């Protein structure tokens, strides 16, 4: 199979997956007992004519299949409705929140993976020794700490004992900036605590996978070959062992984006980061269904896109996949 | 002066509850262009012996006693840096089957170029690449395949590439661990022919580690038979094949299936190879030996020289 046809078939699969998710999303809510107008008419004595007009205005008088077609049409045309609460377009709200989440998750995830892999290499090449046990045990212990609790502890420490680092929000409230650079610095300061929380609570998986993968690779014949060639141990490690040991970690990195995203959503709530997590939390409390629907769909799209990226990028690391 | 001399070499592996001796008092020497086959069952210590020649023992392995000399230089006090300089320039390894001996994510040509640049035997990348392509051509791989990855090669090609890689820094000694195992017989024959031809044209010395006596017969001048970490018999190929002395060697030869027209399998050797953690007393082969007699279970057999090149460690011989 050529590269082009492989990529296009993979993208085709992704579009199909997306379509299934969207369909599932639609029918899931329609299959739930009760409907929106019942909820309204229960509150007061709503006469049947008013219910009928409500149904009409939301398109609920149409058959489910017609509603489904309309739903798909609205999705494709970015006509995603308005929030029940703020009456803003849902697209705008979710888009802004998504951008803020992406800022946080990008910084935190890159650091998590880099530090996790570095610790994994550190432990893996010292397998069985004290430094290895300490690294593995510590990262497992930190992994067991509930993320929201760790966040709360950090908020407490930095708002009571070491006042100075911002513990909430993405920017200083009502701040005015003399230069755009000042704004970046302000956002950067607000990023520190949520990032630390995320890195500490997620690092263990990368450390452990990288460590175990490196231990396995260091036993392979080609590592002995590399040593037999008279290469320095540093060169054997970084040129021969690590590139091979990275392969499982690389896949994990992409597959785990969904899990990391859900952790990020929790952390956002703790630190009032104005991202998807905070938006979902707020919308659940206010039963803001249009916002929720689009938020969930967005998360599904992010996870599917991550899987697609993994499949498209993996061949760059592993030539065995590239030409198949 | 010999190219490589091993004197009374013993190697231990540290384990919970004490050390296991993987090689016991091995001695042999190799001259320029000579060819020795190191034969024995799995676990007899032959691979450990080969790795120790390049200072590549695993972390828990160590040379307990004895000496290794390259030319007249002892390597017993070698630092890691000194070992690194010796590796690939004086002796190079060819691994079993070649399958995993090549790094799966790096191009073949780059893997051959690498030691040349590291050891400075070629100074520029261009010159090294040129030489790598020549070496590949020499083992029968066309230049168009040089930039392939290992998985794009067949098993035989990988083994050839492994041999080309071993020649990169012009070593005088090639240590080949099961060079013809795990590939089909036709390719096996080609690999053996290639090694023989390289030995001839480059004056390479070959140390062939194998359990395949056929390979030994075709490639080697001399044979060393190892059993349970010890050298039990060493002789010329002629001596081993036509006049084997040690009961283990005899049985090993009888295990080889023959195309005699009669159906049947080789006789084989009854029993299991002994544990090295807790080896049998006296002669280590005595529990499986058909000729066992009184001293075997208690006394360790001394080595006796039967002919100029023929040495055997067995109680059947040497008690005049």
């Amino acid at each position: 199979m050529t590269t082009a046809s492989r990529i296009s078939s993979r993208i085709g699969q992704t579009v199909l997956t997306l379509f299934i998710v969207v369909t599932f999303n639609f029918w899931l809510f329609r299959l739930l007992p009760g409907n929106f107008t019942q909820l309204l008419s229960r509150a007061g004595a709503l006469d049947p004519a008013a219910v009928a007009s409500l149904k009409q205005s939301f398109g609920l008088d149409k058959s489910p299949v017609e509603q489904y077609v309309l739903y798909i049409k609205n999705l494709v045309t970015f006509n995603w409705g308005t929030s029940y609460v703020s009456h803003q377009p849902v697209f705008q709200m979710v888009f802004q929140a998504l951008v803020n989440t992406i800022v946080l998750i990008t910084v935190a995830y890159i650091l998590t993976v880099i530090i996790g892999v570095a610790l994994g290499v550190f432990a893996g090449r010292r397998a069985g020794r004290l430094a290895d046990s300490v690294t593995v045990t510590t990262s497992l212990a930190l992994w067991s700490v509930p993320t929201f609790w760790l966040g709360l502890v950090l908020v407490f420490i930095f708002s009571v004992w070491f006042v100075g680092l911002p513990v909430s929000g993405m920017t200083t409230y009502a701040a005015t900036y003399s230069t755009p650079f000042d704004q970046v610095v302000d956002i950067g300061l607000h990023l520190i605590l949520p990032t630390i929380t995320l890195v500490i609570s997620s690092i263990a998986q990368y450390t452990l996978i990288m460590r175990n993968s490196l231990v396995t690779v260091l036993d392979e014949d080609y590592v002995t070959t590399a040593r037999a060639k008279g290469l320095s141990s540093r060169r054997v490690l970084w040129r021969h062992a690590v590139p091979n040991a990275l392969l499982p970690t690389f896949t994990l990195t992409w597959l785990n984006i969904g899990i990391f995203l859900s952790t990020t959503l929790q952390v956002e709530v703790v630190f009032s980061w104005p991202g998807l997590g905070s938006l979902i939390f707020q919308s659940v409390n206010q039963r803001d269904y249009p916002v929720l629907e689009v938020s969930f769909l967005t998360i599904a799209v992010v996870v599917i896109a991550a899987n697609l990226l993994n499949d498209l990028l993996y061949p760059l690391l592993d030539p065995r996949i590239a030409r198949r | 002066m010999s190219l490589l001399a091993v004197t009374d070499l013993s190697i231990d592996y540290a384990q919970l509850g004490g050390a296991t001796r993987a090689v016991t008092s091995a001695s042999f020497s190799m001259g320029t262009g000579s060819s020795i086959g190191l034969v024995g069952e799995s676990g007899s210590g032959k691979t450990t012996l080969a790795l120790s020649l390049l200072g590549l023992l695993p972390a828990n392995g160590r040379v307990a006693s004895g000496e290794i000399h390259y030319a007249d230089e002892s390597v017993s006090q070698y630092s890691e840096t000194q070992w690194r300089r010796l590796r690939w320039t004086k002796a190079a390894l060819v691994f079993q089957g070649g399958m995993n001996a090549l790094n799966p994510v790096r191009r073949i040509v780059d893997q051959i170029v690498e030691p040349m640049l590291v050891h400075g035997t070629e100074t520029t990348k261009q010159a090294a690449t040129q030489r790598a392509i020549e070496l590949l051509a020499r083992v029968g791989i066309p230049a168009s395949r040089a930039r392939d990855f290992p998985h794009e090669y067949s098993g035989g090609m990988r083994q050839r590439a492994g041999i080309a890689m071993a020649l990169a820094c012009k070593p005088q000694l090639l240590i080949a661990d099961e060079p013809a195992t795990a590939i089909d017989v036709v390719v096996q024959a080609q690999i053996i022919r290639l090694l023989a031809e390289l030995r001839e044209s480059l004056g390479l010395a070959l140390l062939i580690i194998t359990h395949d006596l056929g390979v030994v017969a075709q490639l080697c001048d001399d044979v060393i038979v190892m059993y349970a970490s010890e050298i039990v018999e060493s002789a010329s190929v002629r001596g081993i094949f036509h006049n084997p002395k040690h009961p283990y060697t005899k049985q090993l030869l009888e295990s080889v299936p023959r195309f005699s027209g009669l159906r049947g399998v080789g006789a084989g050797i009854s029993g299991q190879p002994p544990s090295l953690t807790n080896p049998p007393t006296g002669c280590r082969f005595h529990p499986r030996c058909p000729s066992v007699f009184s001293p075997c279970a208690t006394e360790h057999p001394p080595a006796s020289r039967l002919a100029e090149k023929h040495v055997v460690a067995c109680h059947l011989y040497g008690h005049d």
Side-chain angles (χ1 to χ4, degrees), chain A residues 219-236 239-244 247 317-324, chain B residues 51 54-57 80 84 87-88 91 93 95-96 100-107 111-112 114-115 118-119 147-149 151-152 165:
Chain A
D219 252 358
E220 294 281 355
D221 280 350
Y222 55 80
V223 172
T224 312
T225 308
R227 293 213 300 138
K229 281 183 187 173
L231 312 183
S232 65
S233 51
R234 180 180 297 180
R235 197 180 169 98
V236 171
R239 293 293 190 88
H240 290 270
V242 169
N244 282 285
L247 301 175
L317 284 183
D318 191 347
R320 282 166 294 187
I321 307 295
R323 304 202 190 170
R324 236 167 239 170
Chain B
L51 290 177
L54 285 175
L56 287 172
L57 289 174
E80 182 59 22
R84 223 183 283 151
R87 289 173 191 152
W88 230 248
L93 273 178
F95 278 98
Q96 177 167 351
N100 279 324
L102 299 166
N103 189 328
V105 303
R106 304 192 65 199
R107 294 181 193 280
Q111 300 191 46
I112 302 177
E114 190 179 28
V118 164
H119 290 291
R147 284 182 54 75
D148 282 8
F149 288 98
H151 72 274
E152 295 169 278
M165 187 162 77

Side-chain angles (χ1 to χ4, degrees), chain B residues 59-71:
Chain B
N60 64 338
R62 73 181 183 94
V63 172
S65 64
E67 289 275 352
I68 300 167
H69 282 83
Y70 278 93

Side-chain angles (χ1 to χ4, degrees), chain B residues 277-316:
Chain B
T277 335
N278 190 14
T281 54
C283 171
R284 294 188 170 182
F285 188 57
H286 85 263
R288 298 166 79 186
C289 184
S291 321
V292 62
F293 67 115
S294 56
C296 295
T298 49
E299 286 171 47
H300 192 267
S304 28
R305 187 172 294 273
L306 305 178
E308 196 214 331
K309 283 177 114 183
H310 207 145
V311 178
V312 64
C314 176
H315 287 297
L316 292 171

Side-chain angles (χ1 to χ4, degrees), chain A residues 225 228-229, chain B residues 54 86-95 102 108-109 111-117 119 121-122 127-128 130-141 158-176 191 193-208:
Chain A
T225 308
K229 281 183 187 173
Chain B
L54 285 175
L86 178 148
R87 289 173 191 152
W88 230 248
T89 56
K90 291 201 174 148
L93 273 178
V94 176
F95 278 98
L102 299 166
I108 300 283
V109 65
Q111 300 191 46
I112 302 177
V113 162
E114 190 179 28
M116 297 190 235
L117 296 178
H119 290 291
T121 55
E122 296 291 342
Q130 188 55 43
R131 176 163 164 76
I133 288 170
E134 283 164 21
L135 285 170
L136 284 171
R138 166 130 223 180
V139 300
I141 294 173
R158 278 197 287 262
Q159 189 63 291
R160 286 161 185 278
I163 293 169
M165 187 162 77
L167 298 175
C169 297
K170 302 181 182 155
Q172 287 183 287
L173 170 63
L174 220 57
I175 303 169
I191 297 288
R193 218 173 299 134
L194 173 66
L195 284 171
E197 187 265 317
L198 289 171
R199 180 191 168 201
E200 189 78 16
S201 58
L202 299 175
L204 273 177
L206 294 178
L207 179 60
I208 308 288

